[in-house]
């Protein structure tokens, strides 16, 4: 806890003193003491009420009250294995906060996500750290108490939740989604339920999910990640873009996928959450959290590749068209676009004259035809003959 509340302190004395003071006021109590002598503190009923009154008006969710349970025989306070998992969740939040990923009030635990069938999938931890490039991240903390296929089921439920529509969705969108199973793929994320709950991630895809493994071996983590990658491929893997240029476009479509990253609490503790300790499903090697969540082969690459492919296709089609351009049989010049269209379009082809000649040669033909027509229409010139005999008196008669 002291790493979360006082990350700059090397010792937890100040936090312990504060907890002891809260204990004196009956606001917190010790839930249990772990084997390493670390104490797990929880709120009392009174402290829970105080926290709700102070925090809930600010939009901060308070976890459910941890009620005291006692052994009916010995009367000993029971922790019911809550301590180990809760400590791992708190330690994960502390390591994220220590690395500058998330403000103290930007963390929430046991956040519910209700599915269409009424099932509620609760995230162990939700962090919002837009300043660190992580607007929202859902975390599942696993101490290997769950089977790998159970984690796949959790991933499936997060994927299904990300594809739900809000209750007040417009009728056209609802009818579209009901018309066929994949219709939701064509509904913008702004119209889906998850955007009512969380801000945009700034990346393609649904809300990212992180699996943090604690208190387990490296071999078990590798086996679990292998199952997540293989069995859960439908939920995290990108698709190929449906494009006119499949050979030129190698980018992947992440818009309907859940970005999934994995790490261990031991790595977070040793190297820090800001280090390259995160692995994205479908990739090899470890990256920083923001690099792991980014999609360098996603939509930005698709736009660049599509633009290049479209320009290349335009050049190819222009070259093919130029190769088909007719050549004048008289002068050897290529047809202009206007002359080419004139001899091929049905409505003008009948008046195009000799279709094997270019525009200038056709203009010469028209000029010759016009000259011949004008010459044929001119009146005949008078022919030579004897001079007229005007005689005397002709002028007076004309006057």
């Amino acid at each position: 806890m002291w790493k979360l509340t006082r990350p700059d302190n090397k010792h937890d004395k100040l936090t312990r003193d504060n907890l002891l003071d809260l204990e004196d006021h009956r606001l917190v109590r010790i839930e249990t003491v772990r084997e390493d002598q670390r104490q797990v503190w929880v709120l009392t009923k009174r402290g829970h009420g105080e926290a709700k009154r102070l925090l809930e008006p600010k939009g901060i969710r308070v976890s459910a009250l941890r009620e005291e349970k006692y052994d009916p025989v010995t009367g000993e306070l029971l922790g019911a294995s809550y301590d180990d998992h809760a400590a791992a969740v708190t330690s994960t939040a502390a390591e994220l906060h220590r690395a500058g990923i998330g403000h103290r009030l930007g963390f929430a635990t046991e956040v519910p996500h209700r599915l269409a069938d009424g099932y509620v999938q609760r995230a162990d931890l939700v962090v919002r750290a837009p300043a660190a490039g992580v607007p929202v991240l859902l975390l599942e903390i696993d101490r290997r108490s769950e089977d790998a296929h159970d984690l796949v089921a959790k991933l499936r439920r997060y994927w299904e939740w990300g594809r739900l529509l809000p209750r007040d969705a417009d009728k056209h969108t609802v009818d579209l989604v009901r018309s066929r199973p994949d219709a939701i793929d064509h509904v913008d994320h702004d119209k889906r339920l998850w955007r009512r709950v969380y801000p945009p991630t700034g990346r393609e895809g649904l809300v990212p999910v992180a699996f943090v493994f604690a208190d387990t071996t490296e071999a078990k983590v590798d086996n679990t990640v292998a199952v997540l990658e293989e069995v859960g491929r439908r939920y995290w893997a990108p698709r190929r873009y449906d494009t006119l240029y499949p050979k030129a476009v190698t980018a992947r479509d992440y818009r309907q996928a859940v970005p999934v990253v994995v790490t261990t609490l031991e790595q977070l503790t040793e190297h820090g959450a800001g280090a390259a300790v995160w692995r994205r499903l479908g990739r090899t090697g470890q990256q920083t959290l923001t690099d792991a969540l980014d999609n360098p082969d996603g939509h930005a690459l698709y736009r660049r590749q599509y633009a290049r492919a479209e320009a290349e296709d335009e050049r190819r089609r222009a070259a093919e068209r130029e190769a088909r351009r007719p050549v004048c049989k008289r002068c050897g010049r290529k047809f202009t676009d206007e002359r080419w269209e004139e001899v091929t379009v049905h409505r003008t082809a009948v008046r195009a004259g000799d279709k094997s000649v270019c525009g200038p040669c056709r203009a010469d033909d028209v000029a010759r035809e016009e000259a011949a027509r004008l010459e044929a229409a001119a009146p005949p010139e008078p022919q030579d003959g004897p001079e007229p005999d005007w005689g005397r008196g002709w002028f007076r008669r004309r006057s």
Side-chain angles (χ1 to χ4, degrees), residues 249-282:
V249 176
T250 61
R252 292 295 181 263
D253 185 356
Y254 288 88
R255 289 175 295 179
Q256 308 305 323
V258 177
V260 181
V261 295
V262 298
T263 189
T264 65
L265 183 55
E266 289 74 19
Q267 285 182 302
L268 297 179
T269 304
E270 180 180 358
H271 304 289
V277 296
W278 304 85
R279 181 193 160 192
R280 174 80 172 263
L281 292 192

Side-chain angles (χ1 to χ4, degrees), residues 43 71 138 150 201 214 222 234 261 287:
L43 293 170
D71 188 288
L138 312 182
D150 292 335
T201 64
D222 292 341
R234 178 185 179 187
V261 295
Q287 301 174 286

Side-chain angles (χ1 to χ4, degrees), residues 322-357:
E322 194 64 25
R324 298 194 306 269
R325 186 182 294 274
V327 177
C328 182
K329 298 295 182 62
R330 188 178 302 168
C331 68
R333 288 179 294 188
K334 289 186 175 182
F335 282 28
T336 62
D337 289 341
E338 293 77 7
R339 178 58 179 169
W340 193 1
E341 180 180 3
E342 185 181 22
V343 300
T344 54
V345 177
H346 176 71
R347 66 176 182 273
T348 58
V350 295
R351 301 189 301 272
D354 187 355
K355 298 181 179 61
S356 65
V357 299

